[in-house]
Amino acid sequence: MTRVILILVLPFVIWASTDSLKKNSGINLEEVSDFYKSIDQLEVGFHQEIKLKDMKSPIKLVGILKVSQPNQIRWEILKPSHLLVNLNEKEIIVENGEGESKTVQVFKRGDMTLNKENKALESMVGWIKMDLNALKKDYGVTQFAVNEFLFVPYSKESSFFQKLKMKVTKNKNIEKITLFEKSGDLIEITFGKPKIKIKND
Amino acid sequence: MIKRLFYSFILSVLSLSVLAKESWFDQSHKALLPSSVNQELLNFRDFPIFWWNFLIFEFPEGESVNWGLLKNNCRNQLLKTGNLIRKSPCEGLEGSLRPLLEDWARDFIVRHPKPGESDMIKLYNQSITKASLLMGSSITSFLRKDPFNSVDEYLKNFTKKGGFQFENHQGLFFDPKKNRVLIPIQLNVPPSETSLIGKLYHLAEKICEGLSCKLIGVEGPHFSTWQNETQVKTDIGIVSKIGWAILFLFVLFFVLSRKWRLLYLFPLLFCSMLFSALITYLIFGKIHGLTLSFGPSIVGLAMDYGLHGMFAKKDDKGGIWRANLFGLLTTLSIFVVLLFSTLPLLNQLAVFSITGLIISFVSFYIFKLVAPDLFHEKPFQLNPKKFKSLEALSFVFLFFSIIAFFNLSPDFSLQQLNFEPKEAREIRQWFFSNSGALNPMIEITDGEPLRILKDSAKKKEWANEMGIEFDGVTKHLPPIEIQTKNIDSWKPELCNRKRSDLIEDFFQPYWENLKCQKIFPVTLSGGQIPSYLKDYNANGKWVNLFFPTSKEEIKLIHQANPNSHSFMEITSLFSKTLSMELIWMLPLAILIALIFLFYYFLSLEKSLIALVPFFTGLGCFNLMVIFFELRVSFISIIGLIMMFGFSLDYGIFIVNLMQNKENSDKDGVWTTVFLSALTTLMGFAPLLFAGHPALQHLGQSLFFGAIGTFIGGYAGIPALFNLQKKIGYSLEKTI
């Protein structure tokens, strides 16, 4: 479950993360982070593709991500079936399906197992609060092309993915995230044009 | 002729070895339970559903629990136990629950009829969408075997189980008042297998690493058995060491007092003990640690015969040995009666004692015949003073022995024999007072699997009607007719499925297991039992559980299911059995001994006076029970029976001395009685400090009994003779 949280907050982590990556032309992560800090509310549609190594065709999902500062996150899959993950500081609510077959699970954040795969949970709370130091502790970040960054966990054992690629637009929005799992499975999330509300102050 | 007899004897002893088993040393708790009760207990303890144990952790007051870290530590530590853990809420879907959940997901189609087309599509899509949660490839591979989302159905029940009145944190229970966390774990071995439980306990202690909690207790059948065995081992170690120290002191005393010939008795006694151990092993196939601890103490009572023989006058014409023989016979009468006990430990102890006492007696007697000069020692010149106070005390003890028949109310419950660390009592009370549903009514059924399924379904239906919670096979698997109906409804879907490429592809691992036209109901026959039902099966039998919440419901369950019993009812069979045994055992033992005494003295009066040391022993013990509020269990009663045996030896010799029968030698008798009482007291005193209640109770009855016995013999019998002289009363004359 914490992996879900990880993937949900990842865009913000990435926006928020900063490193000395000003060497190339294009956007650097510091700028993305600053931009993110200025956001009060964000809503963006996305397409998710899961490519399992032994499946011919990928699983295609469509959804919406909504974020309200300081730490309200809503990850909603609309197709092929409804699935909603609501995350706040205290709990995670997962609603799966609709009508009679709908199941609702509520997890208290404290009840979540902190195993080797999701130690990132601790740092994620820091990410939600824009604690950039937490991210730097766990990931090495490199810019490998214009507006494209590679995140590699320092501890391969404590992370469920091997590496993560991220592409941002000229407008400092996340365009695409690609997660490479240890098993060889691949997850691609492509974001649309976001609706953004900037903080007043 | 003699050679032939000898060879026949050796051969007959060796022939017993066919009964012997490989492992000769037994330290289990089983031997303390009657064989009939033990079987009952084992019957239901064989079912894995009763293999749940609980780890209890306490956090400092006011401190919140870091559930994530606690669960993670728990999972990591339990992983180190290998395959010992069957189920635990600490593990996720990747743990030991995985095979069970896969079977559960596979059998969705036998539990449920096929839903309508739109619901089917919803279910498929719901499961596929779950894959978006990115829980890792291992979980994804499980989701591909669960197209109908049945995992939620199982986990909902699993984390609810327990009946605790605590907060439920994903299967871990929390009592906010005490700030205690309860982690249930189900083990993969029956409670009798305790070899890995010590390791599990130490790993459980490490769960608190990095947290401020502490493992304050463990509950459950495995931990209880392990704690008892550990305590018995510790006690045996201590008692054995003290035994050797006492032996050394006596040897030293005999050497310093130049009565070194007494040392001849030791090797003879030692050989007798070895031989009786061999016989016991050959008969029972193993010897319990407690038999080895107490058996030698009982056989040590034979030292009395050696001492009497050695301290007898040189011109003794067999009178001492005749008295010795009757002392032996009265003692044996007790152990012969114990042979008919249903307690395996007592059977072993009786065999060990009977063989040891007889062999010792015979070897002493042969020694006396072969080397009369070596088998003689001058007694100490004892001229014991008469203490009026001791005489008075012996009458007080006699009075309390009568009181004993009214106030001594032994508690024969098995709980009396259960070792429980002092600090665990409060925790145990807290645990049981908050676990209302933990005392189910158990019903074990046998027979044709199809009939079992049908019967279990009827019982479930009955329980539902009565509003009583039920657990059994049919809670998870419907009867065959319904299964067949369900499967039939699924056949079109399974045989002529025309789903999208994605559904076909994603759930391929599920379809692989379900070949069209080869899907049959789960019949439970041929040993093909799904993982999720294995908790309810043992040795071809099945268990049903009813969870009553009131006495009325217990009555209802009894009426409708006469073969159902609660754990308490099963264990109470033990106390009932024992009470029934003691009702005939004690009077029979006294009667047999009295017959021997009468045959020896040819006087009812003398025979009754010879019983005085036993009654003063009983009175002394009863006084201590009242004064120190001691608990009296069936082990205490066994101690008293043993005390009865040796007290009669004192009675016979002192009565002889008082009436100057058998050429009695005053110094010889008193030296023997003093030495014998001293060895008995020193032998059993260490048991007073034993940790295990069974050993404590044995020590209390034998130690205080021996004090009373000695006072009764030393002061009581002479006082009664004096009283008789004074008042000139004779029972024989009256009769």
Side-chain angles (χ1 to χ4, degrees):
Chain A
M1 180 51 62
T2 44
R3 287 176 179 168
V4 182
I5 303 161
L6 179 64
I7 198 68
L8 297 184
V9 297
L10 209 53
F12 304 96
V13 168
I14 296 156
W15 267 321
S17 62
T18 175
D19 212 330
S20 54
L21 295 169
K22 289 181 180 175
K23 55 189 174 188
N24 293 326
S25 57
I27 306 293
N28 65 52
L29 277 182
E30 221 165 37
E31 287 173 281
V32 177
S33 170
D34 289 343
F35 172 65
Y36 175 74
K37 278 178 190 171
S38 69
I39 294 173
D40 185 44
Q41 283 180 7
L42 175 144
E43 185 178 326
V44 61
F46 64 84
H47 285 82
Q48 184 179 349
E49 272 196 17
I50 303 166
K51 293 171 182 169
L52 302 180
K53 61 180 178 184
D54 61 342
M55 270 179 69
K56 292 170 207 160
S57 45
I59 304 169
K60 290 180 180 174
L61 307 114
V62 179
I64 302 173
L65 171 69
K66 287 180 187 172
V67 178
S68 301
Q69 288 285 20
N71 43 37
Q72 282 280 343
I73 298 169
R74 185 184 161 96
W75 175 269
E76 191 172 14
I77 304 282
L78 303 169
K79 285 181 184 174
S81 175
H82 186 256
L83 183 131
L84 173 68
V85 180
N86 243 322
L87 182 134
N88 60 41
E89 226 173 17
K90 289 181 180 172
E91 58 190 13
I92 299 157
I93 302 164
V94 182
E95 291 178 25
N96 190 9
E98 283 168 312
E100 280 183 14
S101 61
K102 179 177 166 180
T103 58
V104 180
Q105 286 173 292
V106 181
F107 304 94
K108 285 183 183 164
R109 289 286 294 276
D111 290 1
M112 305 292 287
T113 306
L114 185 69
N115 54 34
K116 62 178 183 178
E117 293 129 7
N118 47 36
K119 270 184 186 167
L121 181 65
E122 282 295 312
S123 56
M124 271 192 290
V125 177
W127 292 345
I128 293 164
K129 293 176 182 173
M130 303 300 292
D131 182 2
L132 302 182
N133 291 329
L135 183 70
K136 283 182 185 172
K137 276 181 199 168
D138 294 333
Y139 299 95
V141 188
T142 49
Q143 187 168 1
F144 66 94
V146 177
N147 297 347
E148 288 193 59
F149 304 91
L150 182 68
F151 288 74
V152 180
Y154 292 130
S155 167
K156 299 215 168 176
E157 281 185 6
S158 66
S159 174
F160 80 97
F161 61 86
Q162 216 168 24
K163 58 184 180 181
L164 180 149
K165 278 185 189 174
M166 187 197 71
K167 192 177 178 186
V168 295
T169 63
K170 282 187 282 182
N171 299 329
K172 300 166 199 168
N173 298 322
I174 301 274
E175 188 182 329
K176 191 175 183 180
I177 290 171
T178 312
L179 277 144
F180 298 85
E181 282 210 51
K182 287 173 191 170
S183 61
D185 296 343
L186 193 88
I187 298 128
E188 273 180 5
I189 306 168
T190 311
F191 293 93
K193 196 180 174 187
K195 289 177 193 170
I196 290 167
K197 189 182 167 192
I198 304 291
K199 283 177 186 169
N200 290 329
D201 45 15
Chain B
M1 180 65 183
I2 292 171
K3 269 186 184 176
R4 271 186 203 171
L5 276 174
F6 178 72
Y7 291 140
S8 316
F9 173 70
I10 293 293
L11 280 173
S12 60
V13 167
L14 289 176
S15 68
L16 291 171
S17 65
V18 294
L19 301 168
K21 290 173 190 169
E22 279 175 23
S23 163
W24 68 276
F25 189 59
D26 177 19
Q27 295 192 73
S28 71
H29 199 222
K30 278 191 224 168
L32 292 172
L33 304 173
S35 47
S36 60
V37 175
N38 202 8
Q39 197 52 48
E40 287 280 348
L41 282 172
L42 284 178
N43 273 349
F44 82 82
R45 284 195 168 193
D46 280 352
F47 293 91
I49 199 157
F50 297 106
W51 297 353
W52 282 97
N53 290 264
F54 300 88
L55 307 172
I56 303 164
F57 297 92
E58 190 168 82
F59 284 78
E61 213 179 322
E63 195 157 315
S64 60
V65 179
N66 183 340
W67 292 100
L69 188 54
L70 182 68
K71 248 188 171 180
N72 190 49
N73 282 2
C74 172
R75 192 180 72 157
N76 289 341
Q77 294 304 332
L78 295 186
L79 274 176
K80 292 178 189 167
T81 62
N83 289 327
L84 187 63
I85 304 300
R86 194 178 178 92
K87 283 188 221 114
S88 98
C90 300
E91 296 175 289
L93 290 179
E94 290 159 294
S96 52
L97 270 179
R98 180 65 175 263
L100 187 151
L101 290 172
E102 285 188 5
D103 280 4
W104 180 254
R106 182 199 61 205
D107 291 345
F108 181 87
I109 59 167
V110 300
R111 290 194 305 275
H112 303 280
K114 182 184 169 288
E117 182 59 18
S118 62
D119 287 337
M120 275 290 297
I121 300 289
K122 270 184 193 172
L123 279 175
Y124 284 136
N125 285 336
Q126 241 174 281
S127 293
I128 291 174
T129 309
K130 257 190 172 180
S132 72
L133 290 175
L134 305 173
M135 290 184 281
S137 57
S138 168
I139 306 287
T140 307
S141 76
F142 171 74
L143 291 175
R144 296 179 70 185
K145 291 177 182 171
D146 184 24
F148 311 112
N149 202 20
S150 58
V151 62
D152 288 352
E153 182 190 2
Y154 186 86
L155 291 179
K156 207 174 164 187
N157 280 332
F158 175 64
T159 52
K160 260 187 188 174
K161 269 189 179 177
F164 292 103
Q165 296 157 14
F166 297 141
E167 290 176 13
N168 188 338
H169 291 253
Q170 300 291 302
L172 273 65
F173 298 98
F174 179 59
D175 177 6
K177 284 182 199 162
K178 296 268 184 185
N179 224 20
R180 283 176 184 167
V181 175
L182 201 64
I183 302 183
I185 48 171
Q186 189 187 27
L187 305 193
N188 237 341
V189 292
S192 53
E193 283 182 36
T194 53
S195 55
L196 290 171
I197 307 301
K199 186 186 171 189
L200 173 64
Y201 183 84
H202 295 303
L203 289 172
E205 283 180 314
K206 289 183 185 169
I207 289 175
C208 282
E209 275 178 5
L211 291 159
S212 55
C213 62
K214 193 184 167 194
L215 179 71
I216 57 160
V218 280
E219 289 293 342
H222 296 75
F223 283 116
S224 173
T225 311
W226 171 70
Q227 281 175 329
N228 274 284
E229 282 187 11
T230 308
Q231 190 57 45
V232 168
K233 275 183 201 170
T234 310
D235 286 345
I236 288 172
I238 295 168
V239 170
S240 305
K241 277 176 198 161
I242 293 174
W244 283 108
I246 291 168
L247 183 69
F248 174 75
L249 286 174
F250 269 98
V251 170
L252 196 67
F253 172 69
F254 291 150
V255 171
L256 292 176
S257 59
R258 295 188 178 187
K259 307 246 178 267
W260 57 268
R261 283 197 193 95
L262 289 172
L263 297 179
Y264 289 141
L265 298 176
F266 287 101
L268 288 175
L269 206 56
F270 186 68
C271 288
S272 306
M273 288 173 189
L274 278 183
F275 203 75
S276 52
L278 177 69
I279 299 275
T280 310
Y281 164 67
L282 291 175
I283 291 174
F284 292 95
K286 49 172 73 175
I287 304 181
H288 196 272
L290 292 175
T291 308
L292 278 182
S293 289
F294 307 133
S297 305
I298 295 164
V299 175
L301 298 175
M303 185 65 114
D304 290 6
Y305 312 133
L307 291 174
H308 279 300
M310 268 212 166
F311 291 133
K313 287 175 184 172
K314 273 198 166 180
D315 57 351
D316 175 55
K317 289 173 183 167
I320 290 295
W321 285 99
R322 193 167 171 266
N324 262 344
L325 179 65
F326 277 87
L328 173 70
L329 290 172
T330 50
T331 307
L332 289 185
S333 66
I334 307 300
F335 293 107
V336 169
V337 171
L338 287 186
L339 278 179
F340 297 96
S341 167
T342 52
L343 297 165
L345 177 68
L346 292 186
N347 298 149
Q348 270 194 28
L349 209 55
V351 168
F352 191 100
S353 307
I354 290 168
T355 48
L357 287 167
I358 292 175
I359 295 165
S360 305
F361 181 90
V362 172
S363 55
F364 290 155
Y365 187 66
I366 291 171
F367 187 22
K368 172 84 176 175
L369 289 180
V370 174
D373 289 336
L374 285 177
F375 202 82
H376 177 73
E377 196 61 85
K378 274 189 178 176
F380 292 101
Q381 287 193 331
L382 295 173
N383 192 16
K385 286 179 184 174
K386 281 182 183 174
F387 293 101
K388 288 279 179 197
S389 54
L390 285 184
E391 286 179 4
L393 194 59
S394 62
F395 285 106
V396 170
F397 288 161
L398 278 176
F399 172 73
F400 273 94
S401 72
I402 298 164
I403 300 285
F405 290 99
F406 302 100
N407 81 302
L408 266 191
S409 52
D411 182 349
F412 293 139
S413 68
L414 283 175
Q415 189 53 36
Q416 285 287 314
L417 299 180
N418 185 35
F419 168 71
E420 184 179 62
K422 275 180 191 169
E423 62 277 10
R425 276 181 203 152
E426 184 271 325
I427 296 162
R428 172 175 274 259
Q429 272 179 354
W430 163 82
F431 177 82
F432 281 105
S433 62
N434 287 289
S435 54
L438 283 181
N439 194 15
M441 304 279 286
I442 302 157
E443 186 190 49
I444 295 167
T445 57
D446 201 357
E448 190 62 31
L450 293 182
R451 194 181 57 76
I452 284 170
L453 266 175
K454 209 170 186 177
D455 289 352
S456 183
K458 276 183 191 168
K459 287 172 198 294
K460 185 190 164 195
E461 205 174 312
W462 174 85
N464 282 345
E465 278 171 22
M466 296 294 139
I468 296 168
E469 200 187 326
F470 172 85
D471 196 6
V473 187
T474 41
K475 187 174 179 181
H476 310 285
L477 190 69
I480 297 294
E481 304 81 58
I482 298 176
Q483 285 188 48
T484 313
K485 230 177 175 180
N486 289 342
I487 290 171
D488 286 346
S489 73
W490 281 94
K491 282 211 168 141
E493 175 69 14
L494 299 173
C495 298
N496 311 304
R497 198 175 52 255
K498 282 175 188 168
R499 298 290 172 203
S500 66
D501 287 350
L502 179 63
I503 291 173
E504 289 297 321
D505 208 2
F506 188 75
F507 295 118
Q508 185 57 32
Y510 182 75
W511 311 129
E512 272 172 12
N513 288 329
L514 295 168
K515 304 287 179 202
C516 174
Q517 302 303 340
K518 286 187 179 174
I519 304 150
F520 302 106
V522 181
T523 58
L524 307 177
S525 53
Q528 289 181 334
I529 301 165
S531 302
Y532 57 88
L533 290 180
K534 284 185 178 169
D535 278 8
Y536 303 92
N537 178 262
N539 313 318
K541 292 179 181 174
W542 294 87
V543 67
N544 287 322
L545 302 172
F546 300 93
F547 294 87
T549 50
S550 65
K551 283 182 182 173
E552 288 71 34
E553 286 187 353
I554 292 174
K555 255 187 184 177
L556 275 175
I557 294 167
H558 265 309
Q559 280 166 3
N561 310 280
N563 292 327
S564 61
H565 298 285
S566 70
F567 175 72
M568 296 301 283
E569 284 170 353
I570 292 169
T571 51
S572 73
L573 286 174
F574 163 72
S575 50
K576 281 179 192 164
T577 312
L578 193 67
S579 305
M580 293 303 287
E581 278 188 358
L582 288 180
I583 284 173
W584 62 266
M585 263 188 179
L586 286 175
L588 182 66
I590 292 173
L591 185 69
I592 294 171
L594 201 58
I595 290 168
F596 279 126
L597 287 173
F598 187 77
Y599 186 76
Y600 178 70
F601 287 117
L602 294 173
S603 156
L604 182 61
E605 193 173 270
K606 304 287 184 305
S607 306
L608 289 173
I609 293 178
L611 285 173
V612 163
F614 168 69
F615 284 106
T616 50
L618 176 65
C620 178
F621 172 67
N622 188 31
L623 193 63
M624 294 302 136
V625 168
I626 296 167
F627 193 72
F628 291 112
E629 295 181 348
L630 300 179
R631 287 181 182 185
V632 182
S633 69
F634 87 99
I635 291 281
S636 319
I637 301 297
I638 297 311
L640 291 179
I641 291 172
M642 285 158 69
M643 186 264 288
F644 178 75
F646 67 77
S647 66
L648 295 185
D649 295 346
Y650 298 178
I652 291 170
F653 279 94
I654 296 170
V655 168
N656 273 346
L657 185 68
M658 290 295 111
Q659 59 172 10
N660 204 22
K661 197 183 167 186
E662 308 283 19
N663 196 20
S664 290
D665 174 44
K666 199 178 174 184
D667 286 337
V669 170
W670 288 125
T671 301
T672 307
V673 169
F674 268 88
L675 279 175
S676 160
L678 201 63
T679 49
T680 309
L681 286 174
M682 288 176 81
F684 291 112
L687 293 184
L688 292 175
F689 306 101
H692 199 284
L695 309 192
Q696 254 180 28
H697 295 175
L698 194 71
Q700 286 159 359
S701 55
L702 282 168
F703 182 80
F704 296 123
I707 289 177
T709 300
F710 174 72
I711 292 172
Y714 173 69
I717 293 178
L720 277 173
F721 268 94
N722 287 338
L723 194 68
Q724 192 195 25
K725 270 183 195 170
K726 270 185 191 172
I727 61 173
Y729 174 80
S730 168
L731 188 64
E732 263 81 18
K733 280 178 192 172
T734 312
I735 292 167

